[in-house]
Amino acid sequence: MTLNPMRAIARLFMAAAALMLGAHLAYAETPNKVAIHVDEESIQTMNMALNNAQNIAAHYEAQGEEVIIEIVTYGPGLHMLRSDTSPVAQRISVMALEMDNISFSACLNTVEAMKQKSQKDVPLLSEAVVVPSGAVRLMELQQQGYSYLRP
């Protein structure tokens, strides 16, 4: 049996195109994900993180695509999620109500260190989800395919 070189090339091309289409469809089904890192007490940094989250959400919404956003706070950045010291508490409350694709993580290591230093409880916003370690949470998110952003 003689193999027609043109037919062989066409089959190879079709197989490659099918593989590329399959990969594209699999990629399209995976939502876009971003972890935003806040470790500074600066109101400018906190607002930049929230601005980034809103802009990212708006971009993907306009594209008709899903995006998942997690803001991870630790160290001095935990003040962003403290109900007694957050300069952006109202903005977080509004964003959490308007966006079902955003979450806010607070580092338990930092909460415990602040509690020990002040000898008082560290109250967090109701939107905050406590994670054992902010740094480890960022690592886990990146291992799960999240993009990393530090404003």
Side-chain angles (χ1 to χ4, degrees):
M1 174 168 141
T2 334
L3 187 58
N4 179 337
M6 292 304 287
R7 197 172 266 177
I9 291 171
R11 285 184 183 164
L12 249 134
F13 177 77
M14 294 298 284
L19 281 172
M20 289 173 49
L21 179 61
H24 176 72
L25 291 175
Y27 178 77
E29 292 172 8
T30 304
N32 300 287
K33 304 176 284 191
V34 64
I36 301 176
H37 172 184
V38 177
D39 66 354
E40 298 177 25
E41 192 174 350
S42 157
I43 188 171
Q44 289 84 6
T45 300
M46 294 174 190
N47 275 314
M48 180 68 77
L50 296 173
N51 290 346
N52 289 161
Q54 286 182 311
N55 291 340
I56 289 167
H59 170 81
Y60 284 107
E61 185 178 336
Q63 302 296 315
E65 294 181 40
E66 182 183 349
V67 64
I68 300 168
I69 302 165
E70 185 167 334
I71 296 179
V72 180
T73 66
Y74 65 82
L78 183 74
H79 286 281
M80 181 177 189
L81 300 180
R82 285 186 58 161
S83 60
D84 60 340
T85 60
S86 177
V88 292
Q90 183 61 35
R91 190 167 177 205
I92 288 171
S93 177
V94 169
M95 286 177 73
L97 287 173
E98 293 177 348
M99 299 169 64
D100 62 355
N101 60 340
I102 191 166
S103 59
F104 301 90
S105 294
C107 174
L108 180 60
N109 288 336
T110 302
V111 169
E112 293 298 327
M114 288 180 173
K115 184 190 258 184
Q116 186 176 13
K117 185 175 180 179
S118 69
Q119 295 297 303
K120 294 186 225 173
D121 281 339
V122 176
L124 298 175
L125 300 173
S126 62
E127 294 83 6
V129 175
V130 177
V131 296
S133 165
V136 171
R137 181 65 182 155
L138 286 169
M139 291 172 60
E140 292 170 346
L141 292 172
Q142 289 178 76
Q143 289 166 355
Q144 294 170 25
Y146 278 67
S147 297
Y148 169 82
L149 181 63
R150 183 168 185 230

